[in-house]
């Protein structure tokens, strides 16, 4: 809920996780979302290896991580695109 936009709309990371089916049972999702939010603030243009390294401390028994990685990379690219137009 800390990542949601005012009015309870999903934040960009949350929406990307939904689009990429980056969660199933959801047990791991809050921790991964918070880590991803902090990671993207620190590393705004990560490559896939950096995202996978950040995820190394998280265990997800459902997704196989591909959707999670794709969601995080998509948000990084979208934010870079938005900031380049600002
Ligand atoms: Fe079930 Fe990650 S979605 S453990």
């Amino acid at each position: 809920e800390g990542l949601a936009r005012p009015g309870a709309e999903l934040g960009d990371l949350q929406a990307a996780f939904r689009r990429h089916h980056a969660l199933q049972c959801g047990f791991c999702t809050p921790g991964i979302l918070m880590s991803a939010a902090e990671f993207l603030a620190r590393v705004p243009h990560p490559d896939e290896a950096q995202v996978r390294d950040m995820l190394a401390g998280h265990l997800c028994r459902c997704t196989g991580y591909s959707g999670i990685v794709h969601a995080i990379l998509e948000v990084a690219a979208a934010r870079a695109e938005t900031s380049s137009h600002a």
Side-chain angles (χ1 to χ4, degrees):
E1 65 198 40
L3 298 177
R5 294 184 181 129
E9 186 180 331
L10 294 178
D12 58 354
L13 269 171
Q14 295 167 312
F17 269 54
R18 183 165 67 182
R19 271 194 309 282
H20 287 274
H21 306 286
L23 63 133
Q24 290 179 25
C25 78
F27 183 81
C28 69
T29 308
I32 291 177
L33 280 170
M34 296 311 290
S35 289
E38 184 280 331
F39 172 72
L40 288 179
R42 196 167 33 85
V43 185
H45 309 292
D47 60 25
E48 181 173 339
Q50 289 172 303
V51 172
R52 289 188 179 277
D53 185 60
M54 179 275 293
L55 290 170
H58 293 275
L59 293 177
C60 177
R61 295 300 185 206
C62 301
T63 67
Y65 297 97
S66 291
I68 295 169
V69 171
H70 291 146
I72 293 169
L73 289 173
E74 179 187 90
V75 169
R79 288 181 182 179
E81 178 73 16
T82 299
S83 68
S84 72
H85 293 297

